């Protein structure tokens, strides 16, 4: 069964500092990987995805993520955090066909950017 | 472009009562998903439609949950009878088609409280 682990329930970072939100995955076949962000009382918003090709993926709002096949990781990064980045972040994985077609989410990581 | 619409936004019911949620996906999106998000967890897929056909309902508790998408556009999710453990946010999402790497667009969700 495919799964996603987000080892940190909460990440605190000072405004202007770089941020990293960690994600590791397990899937049969090749992974399609996604990051979504959820603001309070709102649905999930798509940030970025990895399908194939370049391991560094750039997305919305200055976020990027690095795919590492050997470590089965897909960490979310941003060079300089903003207070407005404070939200709940979800990593998700889907198989390219060898496993389940379902999109499996992690439990989420709460990011707090401190002014 | 209008996003995914859901109603109601909030619902409080007694256990053993019934409840229904409505979703209108983004125009032109063939694939529609219903997720259950319990507090502190990531979304879990309940059912996936491709047009008006069911693609995956393996995690739908069919003894009490039902869903339909009769004309391939709007969808309703029903719970009858509700249990305390059904308290959650129910998210509707849509995507252009059932391709593994297509991102999903989420509605704001319906927060259900079962007393």
């Amino acid at each position: 069964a495919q799964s996603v682990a987000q080892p940190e329930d909460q990440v605190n970072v000072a405004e202007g500092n770089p941020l990293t939100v960690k994600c590791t995955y397990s899937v049969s076949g090749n992974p399609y990987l996604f990051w979504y962000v959820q603001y309070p009382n709102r649905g999930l918003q798509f940030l970025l995805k990895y399908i194939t090709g370049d391991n560094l993926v750039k997305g919305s709002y200055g976020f990027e993520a690095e795919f590492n096949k050997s470590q089965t990781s897909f960490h979310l990064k941003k060079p300089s955090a903003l207070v407005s980045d404070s939200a709940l972040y979800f990593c998700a994985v889907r198989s390219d066909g060898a496993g389940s077609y379902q999109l499996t989410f992690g439990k989420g990581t709460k990011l707090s950017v401190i002014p | 472009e209008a996003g995914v619409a859901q109603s109601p936004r909030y619902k409080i019911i007694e256990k053993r009562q019934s409840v229904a949620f409505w979703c209108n996906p983004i125009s032109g999106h063939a694939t529609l998903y219903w997720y259950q998000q319990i507090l502190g967890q990531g979304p879990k897929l309940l059912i996936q439609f491709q047009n008006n056909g069911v693609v995956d309902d393996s995690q739908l508790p069919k003894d009490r949950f039902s869903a339909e998408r009769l004309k391939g556009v709007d969808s309703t999710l029903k719970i009858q009878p509700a249990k305390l453990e059904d308290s959650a946010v129910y998210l509707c999402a849509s995507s252009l088609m059932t391709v593994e790497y297509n991102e999903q667009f989420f509605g704001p969700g319906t927060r259900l409280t079962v007393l």
Side-chain angles (χ1 to χ4, degrees), chain A residues 32 34 36 38 41-46 49-51 88 90 94-97 100-108, chain B residues 9-10 33 35 37 40-43 45 48 56 58-59 91 98-109 111:
Chain A
Y32 296 131
F34 303 80
Y36 287 84
Q38 187 174 37
N41 298 317
R42 295 175 66 177
L44 280 74
Q45 295 179 31
F46 169 76
K49 66 182 177 184
Y50 171 82
I51 302 173
L88 193 55
F90 290 95
R94 210 172 191 181
S95 168
D96 69 346
S100 170
Y101 285 101
Q102 290 186 8
L103 187 61
T104 300
F105 287 85
K107 290 187 175 182
Chain B
R9 292 295 309 276
Y10 304 91
Y33 312 80
Y35 288 88
Q37 185 178 16
Q41 299 181 20
L45 180 69
Q48 176 181 338
D56 187 343
S58 58
Q59 298 191 100
L91 296 166
T98 303
V99 177
E100 293 82 359
Y101 50 80
N102 274 351
E103 59 267 31
Q104 298 176 20
F105 296 83
F106 285 80
R111 183 177 298 277

Side-chain angles (χ1 to χ4, degrees), chain A residues 7-107:
Chain A
E8 301 154 318
D9 290 337
Q10 179 151 353
V11 170
N12 297 320
V13 63
E15 186 177 23
N17 282 3
L19 69 86
T20 299
V21 182
K22 297 179 180 177
C23 170
T24 58
Y25 66 90
S26 174
V27 69
S28 298
N30 294 312
Y32 296 131
L33 292 153
F34 303 80
W35 276 101
Y36 287 84
V37 60
Q38 187 174 37
Y39 297 99
N41 298 317
R42 295 175 66 177
L44 280 74
Q45 295 179 31
F46 169 76
L47 275 181
L48 51 80
K49 66 182 177 184
Y50 171 82
I51 302 173
T52 187
D54 193 347
N55 290 341
L56 185 63
V57 178
K58 294 187 182 297
S60 306
Y61 313 119
F63 284 93
E64 57 189 28
E66 186 167 11
F67 171 63
N68 187 316
K69 188 172 183 177
S70 62
Q71 297 186 5
T72 62
S73 67
F74 189 56
H75 301 331
L76 182 69
K77 300 180 180 183
K78 188 174 183 181
S80 179
L82 300 173
V83 172
S84 57
D85 292 331
S86 297
L88 193 55
Y89 290 81
F90 290 95
C91 181
V93 68
R94 210 172 191 181
S95 168
D96 69 346
S100 170
Y101 285 101
Q102 290 186 8
L103 187 61
T104 300
F105 287 85
K107 290 187 175 182

Side-chain angles (χ1 to χ4, degrees), chain B residues 7-28:
Chain B
S7 67
R9 292 295 309 276
Y10 304 91
K11 190 73 177 179
I12 301 174
I13 61 173
E14 301 277 340
K15 61 183 179 183
R16 291 188 289 275
Q17 286 186 326
S18 63
V19 64
F21 312 128
W22 174 83
C23 173
N24 180 243
I26 292 173
S27 177

